[in-house]
Amino acid sequence: MATASELARQRRSLQGRVGVVTASTNGIGFAMAQRLAVDGAHVVISSRNQKNVDEALAKLKSEGLSVSEMVCHAGGKEDRTRLLEKTAAEFGGFDILISNAAVNPGSGRLMKCTEEVWDKIFDVNVKSSFFLAKKPLPHMEKRGKASIMFVSSVAGYLQNCAVEFFGAYALSKTALLGLSKLMSMELGPRGIRVNCIFPGVIETRFGAVITGDKRVPKIMHDNCPLQRNTRETKESTYRLLY
């Protein structure tokens, strides 16, 4: 029986389309970039670390996938502009934008969050996500069929899962849901779909601070209606695109 990735490669359902994924050199971002490319899209991966970008690019190219790269700190206006404008200039626009970059300084409970930590979280997780998605709209609209995806978190949908660990981070991820709803209403009539996904506890480098905490399994169990835990790995994030 063919694997999901083999079937996707046969379908090539995204053939001819161009996607941009931020923070896509490991974890969820890498898995999504990989799957888009398997489905036939050309994908521009990015990260603020050149070494990580080079390694991710080499791995994807070794799989015969159509990818290119750029160093981009998604929290920086100049970097975001350069990423989007270079992609648009090279490919005449693009069809898919996945805003995956985020920070989590680990402020613990919301009432312990300092102004400095608050500003850092909301600057990257919310403000930068909005302006990343807003700037390329003319390029995406003229392609006729475009999609924007914000990567939130289960903590943004079920805040009680995060109350002990990262209150401000969870709140920023809740804000992405509101952003997605408002943008979808404005952009839908212009042929641009806007969605927001809420990954659960996935074993990635970014999520290690959570997956490594012994309290997490009980918290996730108690907040699941079926009273069970589903341990996911980064490979399972392929499903997030379908």
Side-chain angles (χ1 to χ4, degrees), residues 104 165-166 204-213 216:
N104 178 18
F165 305 102
F166 37 77
T204 65
R205 189 169 64 191
F206 183 84
V209 65
I210 300 304
T211 57
D213 193 307
V216 168

Side-chain angles (χ1 to χ4, degrees), residues 42-177:
H42 176 84
V43 183
V44 182
I45 63 170
S46 65
S47 168
R48 59 182 178 178
N49 184 291
Q50 182 70 63
K51 180 175 181 292
N52 292 344
V53 167
D54 292 342
E55 290 177 352
L57 182 70
K59 186 176 189 306
L60 293 171
K61 280 187 171 294
S62 73
E63 298 172 3
L65 301 175
S66 179
V67 291
S68 54
E69 53 77 21
M70 179 178 291
V71 173
C72 174
H73 182 354
K77 180 179 179 179
E78 291 183 359
D79 275 23
R80 292 195 306 269
T81 299
R82 185 165 56 251
L83 171 67
L84 299 172
E85 290 186 349
K86 181 180 178 182
T87 301
E90 186 170 350
F91 300 101
F94 50 92
D95 312 277
I96 301 163
L97 175 64
I98 299 180
S99 179
N100 178 57
V103 295
N104 178 18
S107 60
R109 282 181 170 264
L110 182 62
M111 293 301 105
K112 292 183 178 180
C113 184
T114 65
E115 186 170 353
E116 180 183 10
V117 169
W118 177 279
D119 287 345
K120 182 175 182 179
I121 288 174
F122 278 83
D123 275 353
V124 175
N125 298 5
V126 183
K127 176 184 173 181
S128 295
S129 292
F130 169 65
F131 286 103
L132 176 78
K134 180 177 182 290
K135 186 172 182 59
L137 293 180
H139 300 300
M140 301 185 79
E141 190 172 9
K142 69 180 182 180
R143 303 277 283 197
K145 186 179 181 182
S147 175
I148 296 171
M149 179 185 288
F150 295 107
V151 179
S152 181
S153 164
V154 66
Y157 193 73
L158 299 171
Q159 293 90 341
N160 48 332
C161 292
V163 64
E164 294 289 343
F165 305 102
F166 37 77
Y169 172 83
L171 184 56
S172 74
K173 290 299 189 175
T174 303
L176 289 181
L177 174 59

Side-chain angles (χ1 to χ4, degrees), residues 163-225:
V163 64
E164 294 289 343
F165 305 102
F166 37 77
Y169 172 83
L171 184 56
S172 74
K173 290 299 189 175
T174 303
L176 289 181
L177 174 59
L179 175 61
S180 177
K181 287 182 175 181
L182 285 168
M183 287 189 69
S184 65
M185 289 188 286
E186 285 199 35
L187 301 182
R190 296 163 61 179
I192 301 174
R193 293 179 296 111
V194 182
N195 291 285
C196 187
I197 61 172
F198 295 80
V201 180
I202 297 176
E203 294 176 344
T204 65
R205 189 169 64 191
F206 183 84
V209 65
I210 300 304
T211 57
D213 193 307
K214 294 181 180 179
R215 296 172 293 175
V216 168
K218 184 178 188 308
I219 291 173
M220 299 305 293
H221 178 277
D222 293 345
N223 282 281
C224 176

